[in-house]
Amino acid sequence: AVPSAIHHAGAKPVYVESTTGYTMDPVDLKTKIKSSGAKFCMISHMRGKIADMDEVKRACDAAGVVLLEDCAHSIGVRFGAGTATCPHTGHHGLACAISSQSYKMLNSGEGGFFLTDDGPMAAKVAVYAGAYEGLSEKHITVPPKEVFGDLPNQLPNYSLRMSSLTAAVVRPQIPTIEERVEKYNARYYMMEERLNKHPLIEVPKQNAKVRICGDSIQFNL
C-alpha cells in the first residue's frame, strides 16, 4: 500500500532497509537519501513497530527531506518516554495518515484521517477530498478561508470525504482506545515471554521510547 501511494502521487519509491525489529534503519535511510536525491520520506509504522523517530527526523531535516508518517498500524502507539502520556505517533512528520480500515484499532470498514498542522497542505487535502463551492467552511478542522485562496478552482475534487455514517461508526470507538491498549499489551507481553523461551524464536525488543499497542505480535525464527 505504501509504494502504491507513492506511485499514485507520481513519485518513484526507493526502499530503505529495515532492522531485525521490523523498523526503518536510520543508517540506511541516510545512505538512500544521499544516493537517490530523495525529497520525501514516507515511513510506515507497520504492525505498530516504531523506529527511533528522533533519529529519522534528524536524518530527514539534515538533508532537507520532508518526513511523512503512515500511522495506519500505529493507532494507540505513543513515542517519547515509553508511557501512555507521551504524544501519539505521527508528530515527527509534516503530516500523517491514520486508517480506520477493518483490521485497525479504529474500524469503520474503510476510511481514515489525514493529520497535519501545515495550513496550505491541509487546505489542499480538503479540496482534493471534496471541499468545493465553499464547502470548506463547513469543516471544523481546516485552516481559515484565506488559506484556501483559489485552490478550489485550481485543484481537482476526488470526492473522498468520509461519510457521516462512517464517522458515526468511528467516533464511539475513540474513547475506548486506551482501555483496549491495556488489555492488548497484557496479552502481548505474556505471549512475548512465552515465545522467547523457545531457543529458535525471537520476539524483538521494541524501542524503550515507545509505548506499544500490542494488537498483533511478530517474531523471528
Side-chain angles (χ1 to χ4, degrees), residues 75-137:
I75 300 173
V77 182
R78 296 176 179 271
F79 185 94
T83 67
T85 60
C86 296
H88 195 280
T89 51
H91 283 80
H92 284 77
L94 179 65
C96 76
I98 294 177
S99 173
S100 59
Q101 188 264 350
S102 298
Y103 298 104
K104 306 301 189 297
M105 281 288 286
L106 295 176
N107 175 5
S108 64
E110 292 292 344
F113 307 86
F114 180 90
L115 307 177
T116 182
D117 55 7
D118 182 86
M121 180 181 281
K124 290 179 180 179
V125 169
V127 173
Y128 283 130
Y132 58 93
E133 296 178 355
L135 289 179
S136 63
E137 296 179 24

Side-chain angles (χ1 to χ4, degrees), residues 146-159:
E146 56 268 20
V147 178
F148 283 80
D150 197 41
L151 288 176
N153 295 320
Q154 297 176 10
L155 301 178
N157 162 24
Y158 294 123
S159 294

Side-chain angles (χ1 to χ4, degrees), residues 25-127:
D25 182 349
V27 175
D28 191 57
L29 171 62
K30 296 174 184 177
T31 300
K32 294 295 170 55
I33 288 175
K34 186 176 181 179
S35 63
S36 69
K39 297 179 181 178
F40 297 89
C41 172
M42 180 180 284
I43 185 167
S44 177
H45 304 314
M46 184 59 66
R47 304 298 180 216
K49 304 300 187 288
I50 315 300
D52 187 330
M53 291 305 298
D54 294 332
E55 284 293 321
V56 171
K57 174 69 170 167
R58 278 193 287 269
C60 289
D61 287 349
V65 171
V66 176
L67 177 60
L68 305 170
E69 295 185 62
D70 174 6
C71 297
H73 285 259
S74 64
I75 300 173
V77 182
R78 296 176 179 271
F79 185 94
T83 67
T85 60
C86 296
H88 195 280
T89 51
H91 283 80
H92 284 77
L94 179 65
C96 76
I98 294 177
S99 173
S100 59
Q101 188 264 350
S102 298
Y103 298 104
K104 306 301 189 297
M105 281 288 286
L106 295 176
N107 175 5
S108 64
E110 292 292 344
F113 307 86
F114 180 90
L115 307 177
T116 182
D117 55 7
D118 182 86
M121 180 181 281
K124 290 179 180 179
V125 169
V127 173

